[in-house]
Structure formats: C-alpha cells, structure tokens
C-alpha cells in the first residue's frame, strides 16, 4: 500500500483504526500464505517421483522433475526383511513387468519393491512418525505418502466386524493424491499400519481402502493374516483368500500372508456401504 493510500485511510478512519486494519489485514494474509505454503510442502514433496529403468541394472530416479540419482537396481530384499522369500516370490509371480504396485508400509525393503517393476510404485505410511522422516531421507527417490489412521487395534474390532454400515469410516482415500486414486493397481501389499500391540491402529483402514482402490482382478496380499484383526477384516472385506503362505518359524516369529484376488462381489460390498 502506498503512502497516499495510507494517508487517505488515516484521514477517513483516524490513525488508530487504519493501523489496526492494516495489522489485521497483514496478519490474515500472512496466515493464509503460511497455510498455503505448508499445504504445498505436504502435498508436493514426494508426489511425483518416477523412475526410468534402462531395462538392465540401472534405475534413473526422478523426483519432482529432477533426475536425482542413477542407482544399481536392487534385486534381492535386504537382510532382516520380515517377509519370507516364499512370500516375496508369490507377490513377484503375479506382478507384471510394467505392473503398478501399491504398498502399505515403508522400510528398508522399500527400495527393493520400488525396483521390482518398471511400473508405478507408491508407499503409504502412518503420518508424522520419525520412521517416515527417517526412511524418506534415507531413500528420497521413493514415492512415499502419509496417512493418518483413526482406528484402535482393540476397540475398533467389534465396531467394524459387526457393523458394515460403518465401514465408510475406514475409507482414507480422501487423504491420498489423485495419482494414487487414479492408478489401476495390479498388486497391493497390506503390511501396515502396525497392529501388534494394543495402542496400534491395526489394518482396518488399509484393508478397506485397498478394496476401494482395487479393480476387479487386483491382487491384494495381506501380511500377518494370522492375527485376529487382519484375519477378520480381510475375510469380511476381501472375501476368501486364493492362497495362504506361511513363513516357517524363525527365531523371531512365524507369519502368514493371505493372497486375495478382488472379485466383483467384493467391489459391490465396498460400494454399498
Ligand atoms: C550415471 O549418470 C551419470 C550422469 O548423470 C553418467 O555419467 C553415468 O554414466 C551414469 N552411470 C550409469 C551406470 O549409467
Ligand atoms: C471413499 O472416499 C472417496 C473420496 O476420496 C469417495 O469418492 C468414495 O465414494 C468413498 N468410497 C467409499 C466406499 O466409502
């Protein structure tokens, strides 16, 4: 605002009022700018990564339009990966070479999944966790997205296993960018959020939203299917698994992965909630 204008304001309203209006005005503008800026940061940092594989060992990773790295493709899951080799092989066996892969979960095995197809790969992790910051700064080329969960491992079981009419509360797709909602996913892996202790969210929302994002024929793999919540909710939402793969007992634990293929009936169930 130029001086003339300020003077006019002062003449019209008296000094104090004009200064007050200016202050409130600037404050409102600043808050707006701040909200816009933080929204922009949240929604653009990891939205557009892509990768170009030369068909051989080298992957060119692109983030926000910039070529950030050429890496040697990772062809083996890193040591310490929780999922067993047999379970990984099952997933790879149905993932086309250019297939699109959506993974609920983020970790040191994510670069392996990122490289497992020439198609699109996205990861979804619980928002605001130190874990998210750690993994995305370690592997900035991953397309990693954050979601806030509202369920409770223990308290939510009765609510959602008994009342289908409440399933719409499990839909977190409004937190996801169009790039996730508009992609035809060939394979979805549900390996998050955490569901091993009472304070965890459990996989209610990731299972439901997977069914919503899937198309008829999409392969959905639910990890830790031996647990009550994962077992109950995926059977109710996704139907009967076509195959169940048990990782042999290790010194940590054994674990079970269920393989579902989304049917028309599953999609009808989801759309009618
Ligand atoms: C990686 O990229 C650089 C240039 O960005 C290029 O000189 C180099 O040959 C590339 N390495 C491989 C293995 O393709
Ligand atoms: C899920 O949310 C999306 C909005 O992101 C909406 O378009 C869709 O109808 C919802 N679906 C279900 C089944 O709740």
């Amino acid at each position: 605002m130029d001086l003339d204008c300020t003077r006019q304001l002062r003449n019209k309203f008296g000094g104090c009022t004009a200064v007050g209006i200016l202050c409130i005005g600037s404050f409102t503008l600043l808050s707006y700018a701040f909200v816009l800026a933080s929204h922009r940061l949240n929604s653009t940092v990891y939205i557009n990564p892509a990768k170009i594989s030369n068909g051989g060992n080298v992957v060119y990773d692109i983030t926000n339009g910039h070529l950030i790295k050429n890496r040697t493709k990772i062809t083996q899951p890193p040591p310490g990966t929780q999922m067993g080799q047999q379970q990984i092989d099952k997933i790879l066996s149905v993932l086309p070479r250019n297939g699109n892969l959506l993974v609920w979960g983020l970790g040191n095995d994510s670069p392996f999944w990122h490289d497992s197809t020439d198609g699109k790969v996205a990861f979804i992790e619980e928002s605001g966790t130190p874990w998210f910051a750690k993994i995305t700064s370690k592997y900035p080329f991953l397309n990693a997205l954050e979601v806030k969960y509202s369920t409770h491992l223990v308290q939510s079981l009765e609510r959602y296993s008994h009342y289908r009419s409440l399933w719409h509360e499990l839909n977190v797709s409004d937190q996801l960018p169009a790039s996730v909602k508009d992609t035809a996913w060939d394979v979805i892996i549900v390996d998050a959020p955490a569901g091993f202790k009472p304070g965890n969210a459990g996989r209610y929302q990731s299972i439901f939203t997977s069914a919503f994002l899937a198309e008829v024929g999409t392969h959905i793999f639910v990890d830790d299917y031996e647990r009550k919540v994962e077992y109950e909710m995926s059977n109710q939402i996704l139907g009967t698994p076509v195959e169940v793969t048990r990782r042999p007992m290790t010194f940590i634990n054994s674990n079970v992965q269920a393989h579902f293929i989304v049917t028309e009936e599953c999609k009808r169930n989801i759309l009618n909630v």
Side-chain angles (χ1 to χ4, degrees), residues 101-112:
L101 171 65
L102 178 65
V103 184
W104 297 83
L106 185 69
N108 287 311
D109 59 340
S110 300
F112 166 74

Side-chain angles (χ1 to χ4, degrees), residues 220 225 231-244 258-263 265-266 269:
I220 300 184
Y225 181 68
Y231 181 86
E232 210 30 70
M233 295 314 295
S234 47
N235 285 1
Q236 284 203 28
I237 294 170
L238 303 172
T240 309
V242 293
E243 194 175 15
V244 168
H259 175 192
F260 299 86
I261 300 177
V262 172
T263 59
E265 194 194 340
C266 163
N269 278 342

Side-chain angles (χ1 to χ4, degrees), residues 9-266:
L9 271 177
R10 190 173 290 147
N11 290 341
K12 209 163 178 184
F13 297 108
C16 284
T17 323
V19 169
I21 288 174
L22 281 174
C23 282
I24 293 170
S26 325
F27 181 73
T28 313
L29 275 178
L30 272 176
S31 329
Y32 240 119
F34 180 75
V35 168
L36 277 179
S38 46
H39 181 74
R40 211 179 138 70
L41 272 180
N42 276 341
S43 56
T44 54
V45 174
Y46 293 110
I47 298 272
N48 284 316
K51 61 181 185 293
I52 306 166
S53 165
N54 71 355
N57 289 331
V58 180
V59 186
Y60 302 88
D61 284 299
I62 299 165
T63 301
N64 295 330
H66 300 291
L67 183 66
I68 57 163
K69 211 170 188 181
N70 46 4
R71 296 180 297 114
T72 304
K73 229 185 206 176
I74 295 167
T75 52
Q76 290 297 318
T81 299
Q82 249 206 343
M83 206 181 270
Q85 188 61 46
Q86 205 195 346
Q87 298 170 329
I88 291 169
D89 290 343
K90 292 280 177 203
I91 297 171
L92 296 179
S93 74
V94 296
L95 180 62
R97 189 161 181 254
N98 283 305
N100 297 321
L101 171 65
L102 178 65
V103 184
W104 297 83
L106 185 69
N108 287 311
D109 59 340
S110 300
F112 166 74
W113 292 114
H114 175 84
D115 290 350
S116 67
T117 164
D118 290 339
K120 198 164 172 178
V121 184
F123 300 88
I124 301 173
E125 181 58 60
E126 188 152 12
S127 71
T129 57
W131 182 250
F132 183 87
K134 183 178 167 180
I135 298 296
T136 50
S137 60
K138 196 166 170 190
Y139 312 111
F141 51 87
L142 298 175
N143 183 14
L145 304 155
E146 291 176 279
V147 154
K148 225 178 189 40
Y149 298 105
S150 59
T151 53
H152 296 272
L153 183 68
V154 180
Q155 290 99 306
S156 299
L157 185 59
E158 162 143 347
R159 184 176 181 87
Y160 297 116
S161 62
H162 288 166
Y163 305 104
R164 282 183 184 219
S165 57
L166 300 176
W167 278 3
H168 64 271
E169 296 173 358
L170 301 177
N171 185 1
V172 291
S173 70
D174 61 344
Q175 296 182 44
L176 299 170
S179 61
V180 169
K181 286 185 277 192
D182 299 344
T183 297
W185 298 105
D186 296 282
V187 176
I188 301 178
I189 301 173
V190 182
D191 200 13
F196 58 88
K197 63 172 200 276
N200 292 157
R203 297 187 184 154
Y204 301 93
Q205 288 169 301
S206 49
I207 292 170
F208 181 85
T209 307
S210 292
F212 174 68
L213 294 172
E215 307 195 325
V216 172
T218 296
H219 296 266
I220 300 184
F221 291 87
V222 177
D223 208 43
D224 302 308
Y225 181 68
E226 75 282 5
R227 301 193 303 217
K228 201 175 168 80
V229 170
E230 282 69 26
Y231 181 86
E232 210 30 70
M233 295 314 295
S234 47
N235 285 1
Q236 284 203 28
I237 294 170
L238 303 172
T240 309
V242 293
E243 194 175 15
V244 168
T245 311
R246 179 179 292 276
R247 186 187 61 183
M249 193 73 168
T250 65
F251 64 95
I252 310 172
N253 57 1
S254 81
N255 120 320
V256 177
Q257 178 187 69
H259 175 192
F260 299 86
I261 300 177
V262 172
T263 59
E264 275 171 23
E265 194 194 340
C266 163

